[in-house]
């Protein structure tokens, strides 16, 4: 074998070896990190005083599901309007 053919063979071999080394992809990022970030965003969202109060009233009435959602929506709407109506129904139920 001539020197030129040996150099060509070595160059070809080195290209094949380095090509496979660089062909490997980086490990994908853990999906749990993305889920954790999304969950952290949801749990760290601050609730307003009106929302908490309406939830307490819904708990006291034992509301669940659609009835609870409807009650809370109306309660928060009334609370934002500035009326004292959300406190009155809770007091009326205790009699």
């Amino acid at each position: 074998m001539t020197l030129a053919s040996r150099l060509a063979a070595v160059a070809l071999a080195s290209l094949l070896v380095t090509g496979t080394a660089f062909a490997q992809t980086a490990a994908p990022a853990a999906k749990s990190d993305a889920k954790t970030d999304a969950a952290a965003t949801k749990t760290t969202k601050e609730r307003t005083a009106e929302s908490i109060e309406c939830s307490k009233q819904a708990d006291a009435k034992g509301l669940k599901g659609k009835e609870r959602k409807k009650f809370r929506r109306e309660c928060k709407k009334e609370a934002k309007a500035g009326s004292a109506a959300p406190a009155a129904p809770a007091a009326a139920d205790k009699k």
Side-chain angles (χ1 to χ4, degrees):
M1 275 181 112
T2 65
L3 181 61
S5 62
R6 286 184 187 174
L7 287 175
V10 170
L12 181 62
S14 66
L15 285 175
L16 292 175
V17 171
T18 58
T20 56
F22 287 115
Q24 294 178 354
T25 60
K31 291 184 181 180
S32 61
D33 292 340
K35 290 179 183 177
T36 304
D37 292 341
T41 304
K42 286 183 180 181
T43 58
T44 58
K45 183 176 179 183
E46 293 185 28
R47 294 176 57 195
T48 62
E50 294 89 4
S51 177
I52 294 170
E53 184 60 32
C54 291
S55 290
K56 287 179 183 177
Q57 290 178 16
D59 289 341
K61 291 184 174 189
L63 297 175
K64 298 192 187 262
K66 291 181 181 179
E67 294 86 14
R68 180 183 177 89
K69 286 182 181 181
K70 182 179 178 184
F71 175 80
R72 290 189 72 243
R73 181 173 50 244
E74 292 172 358
C75 177
K76 288 191 289 185
K77 195 180 295 185
E78 290 173 0
K80 285 181 182 178
S83 71
D93 288 341
K94 292 182 180 179
K95 289 183 180 180

